[in-house]
Amino acid sequence: SLLGYSKDEAMGQNLVQRFITDELKNSVNEVLAGALVGQETANFEFPMFTKHGDRRDILLNATTRRGPNDEVIGVIGVGQDITQIREITKEQGRVAEDL
């Protein structure tokens, strides 16, 4: 798993309260709450930490899920681990500076 938690440890947990750092709880809550009222968010970046304390950079897209009558019935959230991409980009910047 991305953060090192088993399915049993993660299921039923509040995503924001359990897995998001205190300084970003409000921002992530706003993204998810916005999706519940039809305001979709693309490419929201924030860090999460694994069970063992390692940082992971996450790219979140929150999309409103609508029912047959266009009513909001939920949120589809897709998070991608972009940690490795960030590390490669930083290394490329360092190499470019050395040239």
Side-chain angles (χ1 to χ4, degrees):
S1 74
L2 174 66
L3 300 177
Y5 294 94
S6 70
K7 182 178 177 181
D8 289 337
E9 290 173 307
M11 289 298 292
Q13 297 291 321
N14 180 299
L15 170 71
V16 174
Q17 294 305 314
R18 178 72 174 92
F19 302 106
I20 304 298
T21 58
D22 288 341
E23 64 270 8
L24 290 172
K25 285 182 183 194
N26 286 338
S27 297
V28 175
N29 264 329
E30 287 175 12
V31 167
L32 297 175
L36 282 171
V37 295
Q39 299 169 342
E40 298 181 358
T41 299
N43 303 326
F44 179 77
E45 294 182 32
F46 63 98
M48 292 181 81
F49 292 86
T50 68
K51 187 175 182 177
H52 302 291
D54 297 322
R55 179 186 170 117
R56 295 280 179 234
D57 293 320
I58 305 299
L59 182 66
L60 174 68
N61 292 295
T63 304
T64 303
R65 183 166 185 218
R66 297 184 180 276
N69 297 319
D70 205 37
E71 74 278 15
V72 176
I73 59 172
V75 174
I76 299 171
V78 177
Q80 295 174 280
D81 182 354
I82 60 169
T83 306
Q84 192 172 31
I85 293 168
R86 287 284 177 253
E87 291 169 357
I88 291 169
T89 302
K90 286 179 187 175
E91 181 61 26
Q92 287 174 334
R94 284 192 290 270
V95 169
E97 287 176 6
D98 289 342
L99 294 178

